[in-house]
Amino acid sequence: MSVLALTRETDRRLTKWLAANASPCVHRVLSAVEETAESTKLWCGAAAVMASLGGWRGRKAAAAGLAAVALAQLASNGVCKQLADRPRPPKEWFPHDETEDRPDSSSFPSGHTAAAVAFTAAVAPAWPLAGAVCAVPAAMVAVERVQSGAHYPSDVAAGAAIGLTGAWLIRRAPRLVLRYWL
């Protein structure tokens, strides 16, 4: 079996399993977290709280998180979704009506997951406790994207990779600029 065929089969199985096995309570909680994260509201709010309550460390973490979100959103939604034309998972796999609200854009990669992971991964080195707190809703957003029918698991994995890369670049950018351009 080729890697692509194995990925498709794994995507199909995991997506159908998550859609069928999420309890109504879990479904409601995941949907609420995703609604809060829509348009990066959750991450902007978290950054505002960190900046106002966390002193210098909070402002540093908030700035890194927001910069990483911007970079991840640019990469995932501005570049990757334009290059990949992957359809969303089939509506008949899902026992709920949330698939009616999903966007028409490419399924690959998950921009929500890219933003969530980018913010969390950029915040964690500057303020580990805040990063740990942010990891909970970030993981919930990733699971919700599959459970709701918006993405395949591989879309979420790609979004997470983009988010991690964005956070790494934001942390390394000052050193890279100094080393290679000055």
Side-chain angles (χ1 to χ4, degrees), residues 92-113:
E92 55 271 8
W93 289 1
F94 302 91
H96 50 74
D97 62 353
E98 256 186 73
T99 56
E100 302 303 323
D101 296 338
R102 42 187 203 180
D104 293 331
S105 61
S106 175
S107 178
F108 185 87
S110 170
H112 284 80
T113 304

Side-chain angles (χ1 to χ4, degrees), residues 111-172:
H112 284 80
T113 304
V117 171
F119 186 83
T120 302
V123 163
W127 195 357
L129 179 59
V133 170
C134 289
V136 173
M140 292 171 79
V141 165
V143 170
E144 189 279 339
R145 301 315 288 158
V146 176
Q147 184 270 328
S148 69
H151 292 284
Y152 292 99
S154 60
D155 301 335
V156 169
I162 290 169
L164 288 171
T165 302
W168 182 83
L169 285 170
I170 291 303
R171 286 202 38 85
R172 301 292 296 185

Side-chain angles (χ1 to χ4, degrees), residues 20-115:
N21 291 305
S23 71
C25 180
V26 168
H27 180 76
R28 281 192 301 277
V29 169
L30 291 175
S31 293
V33 170
E34 188 279 329
E35 279 294 318
T36 318
E38 187 70 35
S39 303
T40 67
K41 293 181 296 224
L42 177 60
W43 314 118
C44 291
V49 169
M50 282 187 257
S52 63
L53 300 178
W56 178 83
R57 179 174 26 177
R59 289 187 296 278
K60 180 179 176 183
L66 292 176
V69 165
L71 184 58
Q73 289 289 291
L74 176 65
S76 64
N77 296 335
V79 177
C80 294
K81 280 190 186 284
Q82 307 309 314
L83 298 174
D85 190 24
R86 184 178 196 185
R88 304 281 174 170
K91 291 180 181 183
E92 55 271 8
W93 289 1
F94 302 91
H96 50 74
D97 62 353
E98 256 186 73
T99 56
E100 302 303 323
D101 296 338
R102 42 187 203 180
D104 293 331
S105 61
S106 175
S107 178
F108 185 87
S110 170
H112 284 80
T113 304

